[in-house]
Amino acid sequence: MPGGCNRALNTPGTHSLLRDKALTPNICFTAALASACAVFTVQTASAQDARQQQVDGQLSVLRTTTYGLAVDDQCQVFDGAQRDAVEHLKSVVRSALVSAFDADTVTTEQDRISAIANEAWKGCLSRSEHADKWQFVDGARLYGDALLAAAGAMPSHITECAVGRDGAVIKRAAMDALRAEVLARYQGDEREQLDGLVATMSPAMAAQCDAYGYATDLEPAYWWNNRQQLQPQTPGGQPTSLSIYGPWTSFNFFSFEGFSEFAVLAYRTGGEGTGRLAGVTLERGNAPNGDGALYALTDGTLAALLSGAVEGFEIRVEGSEESFLLSRAAQSSDNGFITETRFTLDADAAASVLALPDATPLTFHFQLEPHSDWRQYVNHGERPATLPASRLKEAIDWASAPVAE
């Protein structure tokens, strides 16, 4: 059987993206639904035919979600909840395929589809002139919206359900509100397709909630609900992403590799934010002041906002003499104590940082007082860390991608 799947993936024309059954509702989407796939197969089909239909369906979802996410990296076609849902579907369908078949082959197919999307989309495309390419984006969005709406389609006796064995709970009111929001976006044939997908996903989700008290496919709905409740400050008065970046529609986490690197967070705000696109959290180690973040701004500059009184801030290229000294722009004080120091790097110098080769390891350093020693920032693991230049560039590009019309 693994060989059969490999042939299905690799045989030219067998599963051409242009013939992808992306909008067919009777498909098994997630690992949780895998056991239910037989319900949607032809009654007289042999076991091998039924298995192939299941693989076809999972491949269809994997390809469509992979394509949609690759497009969204270059052109904002999803909001945050949709992207979460599409990523979730892609992850669980990939896991189902990898657990049963060859992992390298599945990865190769994902890379192939991403390459197709990246070649076809350079920024945003006109829907009227590129309807063939938009159909795959619309298919991915439909999958994501169906997963979001599926929670509210569960039987009314399910008044709440957790998102994991020890996870937080999402209430019925939130499920219903999300479903209403999704349904308002659809009408006509697309609404029928959405309803068909919801009818496929919701029963398995409900079965998990009834049997175990949780359903991992609820995670995108849970994060949507968290976003609805987000306030500019925490109950303890700490700023949240809403005040740091402004009203955001989607965010992305550009993870570290290994234990001695920094991660980057990027937020899409649609031009209504604070001007910050991406941020790197900087830990000061055992120094009294200086923790904060480095931000990339919409005007092309880089800015560091650090706690307390700090004399200097510098970006260095590890292993070389090249460095970029930021200018101290301002300091804020409260009752005579300096509470924050801000540094900036002008657009030309910031462009030079971003023009460095992708693999260039950047380090960040601060100086508390004139002529004192410079200290290197550490990451969340309290290790002196580096940031590949490519990760910062990718986060900025993602956050500043144009919005589809």
mmCIF file of all heavy atoms in Angstrom, residues 332-357:
data_model
loop_
_atom_site.group_PDB
_atom_site.id
_atom_site.type_symbol
_atom_site.label_atom_id
_atom_site.label_comp_id
_atom_site.label_asym_id
_atom_site.label_seq_id
_atom_site.Cartn_x
_atom_site.Cartn_y
_atom_site.Cartn_z
ATOM 1 N N SER A 332 12.026 57.904 28.074
ATOM 2 C CA SER A 332 10.821 58.222 28.832
ATOM 3 C C SER A 332 11.125 58.068 30.313
ATOM 4 O O SER A 332 11.913 57.217 30.710
ATOM 5 C CB SER A 332 9.674 57.278 28.446
ATOM 6 O OG SER A 332 9.404 57.363 27.065
ATOM 7 N N SER A 333 10.487 58.922 31.130
ATOM 8 C CA SER A 333 10.750 58.858 32.566
ATOM 9 C C SER A 333 9.449 58.950 33.356
ATOM 10 O O SER A 333 8.419 59.411 32.851
ATOM 11 C CB SER A 333 11.682 59.994 32.988
ATOM 12 O OG SER A 333 11.111 61.256 32.695
ATOM 13 N N ASP A 334 9.513 58.492 34.595
ATOM 14 C CA ASP A 334 8.373 58.532 35.500
ATOM 15 C C ASP A 334 8.906 58.782 36.904
ATOM 16 O O ASP A 334 9.717 58.006 37.410
ATOM 17 C CB ASP A 334 7.596 57.216 35.433
ATOM 18 C CG ASP A 334 6.345 57.234 36.283
ATOM 19 O OD1 ASP A 334 5.842 58.329 36.592
ATOM 20 O OD2 ASP A 334 5.862 56.138 36.650
ATOM 21 N N ASN A 335 8.477 59.905 37.499
ATOM 22 C CA ASN A 335 8.935 60.282 38.836
ATOM 23 C C ASN A 335 10.450 60.362 38.920
ATOM 24 O O ASN A 335 11.063 59.967 39.917
ATOM 25 C CB ASN A 335 8.415 59.302 39.888
ATOM 26 C CG ASN A 335 6.901 59.363 40.050
ATOM 27 O OD1 ASN A 335 6.297 60.431 39.922
ATOM 28 N ND2 ASN A 335 6.295 58.226 40.319
ATOM 29 N N GLY A 336 11.048 60.879 37.858
ATOM 30 C CA GLY A 336 12.486 61.077 37.859
ATOM 31 C C GLY A 336 13.293 59.864 37.464
ATOM 32 O O GLY A 336 14.528 59.946 37.378
ATOM 33 N N PHE A 337 12.643 58.729 37.211
ATOM 34 C CA PHE A 337 13.362 57.517 36.817
ATOM 35 C C PHE A 337 13.135 57.239 35.332
ATOM 36 O O PHE A 337 11.994 57.316 34.855
ATOM 37 C CB PHE A 337 12.895 56.317 37.638
ATOM 38 C CG PHE A 337 13.259 56.391 39.096
ATOM 39 C CD1 PHE A 337 12.363 56.903 40.023
ATOM 40 C CD2 PHE A 337 14.504 55.953 39.531
ATOM 41 C CE1 PHE A 337 12.696 56.972 41.364
ATOM 42 C CE2 PHE A 337 14.846 56.016 40.875
ATOM 43 C CZ PHE A 337 13.945 56.532 41.799
ATOM 44 N N ILE A 338 14.214 56.936 34.637
ATOM 45 C CA ILE A 338 14.088 56.601 33.216
ATOM 46 C C ILE A 338 13.484 55.210 33.100
ATOM 47 O O ILE A 338 14.016 54.237 33.642
ATOM 48 C CB ILE A 338 15.457 56.660 32.511
ATOM 49 C CG1 ILE A 338 16.003 58.089 32.544
ATOM 50 C CG2 ILE A 338 15.338 56.182 31.060
ATOM 51 C CD1 ILE A 338 17.412 58.225 32.006
ATOM 52 N N THR A 339 12.365 55.133 32.389
ATOM 53 C CA THR A 339 11.646 53.863 32.278
ATOM 54 C C THR A 339 11.868 53.174 30.930
ATOM 55 O O THR A 339 11.708 51.953 30.827
ATOM 56 C CB THR A 339 10.140 54.085 32.461
ATOM 57 O OG1 THR A 339 9.681 55.048 31.495
ATOM 58 C CG2 THR A 339 9.847 54.603 33.865
ATOM 59 N N GLU A 340 12.232 53.952 29.907
ATOM 60 C CA GLU A 340 12.406 53.357 28.588
ATOM 61 C C GLU A 340 13.360 54.194 27.749
ATOM 62 O O GLU A 340 13.347 55.419 27.816
ATOM 63 C CB GLU A 340 11.055 53.261 27.868
ATOM 64 C CG GLU A 340 11.114 52.562 26.516
ATOM 65 C CD GLU A 340 9.750 52.487 25.860
ATOM 66 O OE1 GLU A 340 9.246 53.531 25.383
ATOM 67 O OE2 GLU A 340 9.173 51.376 25.825
ATOM 68 N N THR A 341 14.192 53.500 26.964
ATOM 69 C CA THR A 341 15.104 54.163 26.043
ATOM 70 C C THR A 341 14.837 53.645 24.639
ATOM 71 O O THR A 341 14.698 52.432 24.446
ATOM 72 C CB THR A 341 16.574 53.904 26.415
ATOM 73 O OG1 THR A 341 16.796 54.278 27.780
ATOM 74 C CG2 THR A 341 17.512 54.696 25.514
ATOM 75 N N ARG A 342 14.767 54.570 23.688
ATOM 76 C CA ARG A 342 14.461 54.186 22.313
ATOM 77 C C ARG A 342 15.645 54.505 21.400
ATOM 78 O O ARG A 342 16.240 55.580 21.498
ATOM 79 C CB ARG A 342 13.211 54.927 21.823
ATOM 80 C CG ARG A 342 11.904 54.345 22.356
ATOM 81 C CD ARG A 342 10.756 55.312 22.230
ATOM 82 N NE ARG A 342 10.785 56.291 23.327
ATOM 83 C CZ ARG A 342 9.916 57.285 23.455
ATOM 84 N NH1 ARG A 342 8.960 57.444 22.565
ATOM 85 N NH2 ARG A 342 10.008 58.126 24.469
ATOM 86 N N PHE A 343 15.935 53.555 20.518
ATOM 87 C CA PHE A 343 17.016 53.698 19.551
ATOM 88 C C PHE A 343 16.456 53.481 18.145
ATOM 89 O O PHE A 343 15.488 52.737 17.955
ATOM 90 C CB PHE A 343 18.120 52.664 19.815
ATOM 91 C CG PHE A 343 18.836 52.840 21.120
ATOM 92 C CD1 PHE A 343 18.334 52.267 22.285
ATOM 93 C CD2 PHE A 343 20.017 53.572 21.191
ATOM 94 C CE1 PHE A 343 18.994 52.420 23.497
ATOM 95 C CE2 PHE A 343 20.682 53.732 22.402
ATOM 96 C CZ PHE A 343 20.177 53.155 23.552
ATOM 97 N N THR A 344 17.091 54.117 17.157
ATOM 98 C CA THR A 344 16.648 53.940 15.776
ATOM 99 C C THR A 344 17.849 53.731 14.852
ATOM 100 O O THR A 344 18.954 54.218 15.112
ATOM 101 C CB THR A 344 15.848 55.157 15.275
ATOM 102 O OG1 THR A 344 16.683 56.325 15.301
ATOM 103 C CG2 THR A 344 14.622 55.396 16.123
ATOM 104 N N LEU A 345 17.599 53.025 13.767
ATOM 105 C CA LEU A 345 18.560 52.857 12.687
ATOM 106 C C LEU A 345 17.862 53.348 11.424
ATOM 107 O O LEU A 345 16.789 52.837 11.073
ATOM 108 C CB LEU A 345 18.961 51.388 12.540
ATOM 109 C CG LEU A 345 20.113 51.087 11.578
ATOM 110 C CD1 LEU A 345 21.425 51.666 12.098
ATOM 111 C CD2 LEU A 345 20.246 49.578 11.367
ATOM 112 N N ASP A 346 18.440 54.355 10.759
ATOM 113 C CA ASP A 346 17.761 54.973 9.618
ATOM 114 C C ASP A 346 17.541 53.968 8.485
ATOM 115 O O ASP A 346 18.126 52.884 8.465
ATOM 116 C CB ASP A 346 18.521 56.208 9.126
ATOM 117 C CG ASP A 346 19.891 55.888 8.558
ATOM 118 O OD1 ASP A 346 19.991 55.068 7.626
ATOM 119 O OD2 ASP A 346 20.884 56.470 9.050
ATOM 120 N N ALA A 347 16.696 54.363 7.544
ATOM 121 C CA ALA A 347 16.267 53.442 6.493
ATOM 122 C C ALA A 347 17.430 52.945 5.641
ATOM 123 O O ALA A 347 17.455 51.772 5.242
ATOM 124 C CB ALA A 347 15.212 54.107 5.619
ATOM 125 N N ASP A 348 18.392 53.812 5.342
ATOM 126 C CA ASP A 348 19.527 53.386 4.517
ATOM 127 C C ASP A 348 20.364 52.327 5.227
ATOM 128 O O ASP A 348 20.747 51.312 4.627
ATOM 129 C CB ASP A 348 20.400 54.588 4.150
ATOM 130 C CG ASP A 348 19.730 55.514 3.145
ATOM 131 O OD1 ASP A 348 18.780 55.056 2.472
ATOM 132 O OD2 ASP A 348 20.147 56.682 3.047
ATOM 133 N N ALA A 349 20.651 52.563 6.512
ATOM 134 C CA ALA A 349 21.441 51.598 7.271
ATOM 135 C C ALA A 349 20.651 50.305 7.475
ATOM 136 O O ALA A 349 21.210 49.196 7.405
ATOM 137 C CB ALA A 349 21.857 52.188 8.615
ATOM 138 N N ALA A 350 19.333 50.432 7.715
ATOM 139 C CA ALA A 350 18.501 49.240 7.874
ATOM 140 C C ALA A 350 18.474 48.422 6.591
ATOM 141 O O ALA A 350 18.514 47.187 6.627
ATOM 142 C CB ALA A 350 17.084 49.637 8.278
ATOM 143 N N ALA A 351 18.435 49.104 5.457
ATOM 144 C CA ALA A 351 18.470 48.404 4.167
ATOM 145 C C ALA A 351 19.781 47.638 4.004
ATOM 146 O O ALA A 351 19.810 46.555 3.413
ATOM 147 C CB ALA A 351 18.275 49.391 3.032
ATOM 148 N N SER A 352 20.869 48.192 4.529
ATOM 149 C CA SER A 352 22.154 47.498 4.457
ATOM 150 C C SER A 352 22.139 46.228 5.293
ATOM 151 O O SER A 352 22.714 45.203 4.904
ATOM 152 C CB SER A 352 23.279 48.425 4.942
ATOM 153 O OG SER A 352 23.411 49.544 4.081
ATOM 154 N N VAL A 353 21.458 46.276 6.439
ATOM 155 C CA VAL A 353 21.327 45.071 7.265
ATOM 156 C C VAL A 353 20.556 44.001 6.505
ATOM 157 O O VAL A 353 20.952 42.831 6.451
ATOM 158 C CB VAL A 353 20.611 45.403 8.592
ATOM 159 C CG1 VAL A 353 20.324 44.117 9.373
ATOM 160 C CG2 VAL A 353 21.451 46.353 9.434
ATOM 161 N N LEU A 354 19.463 44.415 5.880
ATOM 162 C CA LEU A 354 18.614 43.459 5.181
ATOM 163 C C LEU A 354 19.227 42.983 3.874
ATOM 164 O O LEU A 354 18.775 41.982 3.301
ATOM 165 C CB LEU A 354 17.244 44.087 4.918
ATOM 166 C CG LEU A 354 16.465 44.491 6.174
ATOM 167 C CD1 LEU A 354 15.153 45.162 5.791
ATOM 168 C CD2 LEU A 354 16.202 43.282 7.058
ATOM 169 N N ALA A 355 20.245 43.687 3.391
ATOM 170 C CA ALA A 355 20.919 43.286 2.161
ATOM 171 C C ALA A 355 22.034 42.273 2.411
ATOM 172 O O ALA A 355 22.635 41.766 1.465
ATOM 173 C CB ALA A 355 21.488 44.510 1.447
ATOM 174 N N LEU A 356 22.305 41.978 3.674
ATOM 175 C CA LEU A 356 23.326 40.986 3.993
ATOM 176 C C LEU A 356 22.905 39.608 3.479
ATOM 177 O O LEU A 356 21.711 39.329 3.339
ATOM 178 C CB LEU A 356 23.547 40.931 5.509
ATOM 179 C CG LEU A 356 24.167 42.171 6.155
ATOM 180 C CD1 LEU A 356 24.035 42.091 7.675
ATOM 181 C CD2 LEU A 356 25.630 42.304 5.752
ATOM 182 N N PRO A 357 23.837 38.731 3.174
ATOM 183 C CA PRO A 357 23.482 37.368 2.747
ATOM 184 C C PRO A 357 22.547 36.702 3.744
ATOM 185 O O PRO A 357 22.628 36.942 4.958
ATOM 186 C CB PRO A 357 24.837 36.660 2.681
ATOM 187 C CG PRO A 357 25.818 37.760 2.421
ATOM 188 C CD PRO A 357 25.300 38.948 3.161
#
